[in-house]
Amino acid sequence: VRDCIQKTLTEWSSKVGQDQNQETLEVLECTVAQAIEKINPEERDELKVSAKLFIVGSNSSSIRDAVDLACSALGVAQLDSVIIVPPPVEDGTNISLEYLQPYWKELENLVENKKIVAIGTSDLDKTLLEQLYLWAQVKPSSNQVNLASCCVMPPDLTAFAKECDIQLLTHNDPKELLCEASFQEVLQESIQNVKANEWIPLWLLRYSVIVKSRGIIKSKGYIIQAKRNAS
């Protein structure tokens, strides 16, 4: 992730020149056009567009922004699946249903508005997954399990997922994919005369475009949004 951000910022900064780095600018769109491949509408039915959304330093309302930006960047009307990762909680604190509910409600609204087809979760144990399933209007279609936490899927989680037709997937993402300090560090290294400590990452979305019939990845990438808190 750091390498992708650094390369994009460095290339973008070299092309736009110093004018774009002025403090008066409140919004900076840092993109490298040739690095993003829009989907041909004629091929859309043959492709599955999935995303995993890591909320870093913002609230549930940013989920719509993330999905809208991903759709715009890829040239599609909707994403086939989105897996949500809420902000990490303090050490020693467990995620509760109440903590998840605002994020899930936002996802449900996007499903109702046909911006997303299916929504999923990450790293929920059987108890919390069941609580979410019973409460939710739009049921989770998948739940990712971290390979570092278990070599074998917990039997109770497997049984519940099978009963409720929830797909269990594996991942090896770190607990915190991109922290504030790491983002500011790469920002400082990539762009001259930037006050990196004023920029806070809000969310990070990782997308994959998969050819359904062949199961191969056609393209993948990251989209990140950060906010400048100028004093």
Side-chain angles (χ1 to χ4, degrees):
V1 177
R2 278 179 56 99
D3 289 345
C4 288
I5 295 173
Q6 186 169 33
K7 185 175 181 180
T8 299
L9 289 176
T10 301
E11 190 167 343
W12 171 83
S13 180
S14 67
K15 288 186 176 181
V16 299
Q18 295 301 313
D19 292 341
Q20 289 282 5
N21 295 338
Q22 298 302 314
E23 295 181 11
T24 53
L25 289 176
E26 294 183 2
V27 178
L28 295 176
E29 184 176 347
C30 308
T31 58
V32 180
Q34 66 270 25
I36 301 176
E37 181 182 354
K38 286 190 179 291
I39 293 174
N40 185 336
E42 296 179 1
E43 299 178 353
R44 181 63 182 92
D45 291 342
E46 303 170 10
L47 304 172
K48 178 181 179 181
V49 184
S50 60
K52 187 171 183 178
L53 177 58
F54 302 82
I55 307 295
V56 183
S58 59
N59 54 36
S60 57
S61 63
S62 62
I63 293 175
R64 177 174 291 276
D65 291 338
V67 171
D68 284 344
L69 278 172
C71 288
S72 176
L74 296 171
V76 297
Q78 66 177 188
L79 305 179
D80 293 301
S81 70
V82 173
I83 290 174
I84 186 76
V85 182
V89 295
E90 295 180 5
D91 290 339
T93 305
N94 293 323
I95 291 179
S96 64
L97 176 61
E98 291 74 23
Y99 186 75
L100 285 174
Q101 283 173 337
Y103 301 97
W104 199 257
K105 284 180 180 177
E106 279 296 315
L107 288 176
E108 289 182 329
N109 289 335
L110 290 169
V111 172
E112 291 173 7
N113 293 330
K114 301 189 185 303
K115 295 293 289 186
I116 307 174
V117 177
I119 50 180
T121 57
S122 182
D123 298 319
L124 300 193
D125 59 19
K126 186 263 182 182
T127 301
L128 189 51
L129 183 60
E130 183 175 16
Q131 290 175 353
L132 178 64
Y133 184 88
L134 293 174
W135 168 81
Q137 296 294 315
V138 180
K139 308 300 182 184
S141 64
S142 62
N143 180 48
Q144 284 192 337
V145 179
N146 196 322
L147 287 171
S149 63
C150 67
C151 296
V152 180
M153 292 283 186
D156 60 343
L157 180 62
T158 303
F160 177 75
K162 184 176 181 181
E163 177 186 342
C164 297
D165 195 26
I166 299 173
Q167 187 178 15
L168 291 182
L169 308 168
T170 59
H171 76 93
N172 59 358
D173 295 319
K175 186 176 181 180
E176 193 172 27
L177 193 63
L178 181 70
C179 66
E180 183 177 313
S182 181
F183 174 74
Q184 291 174 350
E185 186 178 307
V186 74
L187 192 63
Q188 189 71 54
E189 294 170 356
S190 306
I191 302 179
Q192 293 181 350
N193 305 322
V194 67
K195 296 180 180 179
N197 62 312
E198 295 181 351
W199 290 89
I200 298 173
L202 300 180
W203 52 260
L204 174 72
L205 180 142
R206 182 177 64 210
Y207 67 84
S208 299
V209 180
I210 301 170
V211 180
K212 293 178 184 178
S213 60
R214 300 166 63 188
I216 62 171
I217 297 177
K218 180 178 175 67
S219 66
K220 59 182 180 178
Y222 296 97
I223 301 173
I224 184 172
Q225 186 175 66
K227 179 180 180 181
R228 182 170 181 249
N229 291 329
S231 56

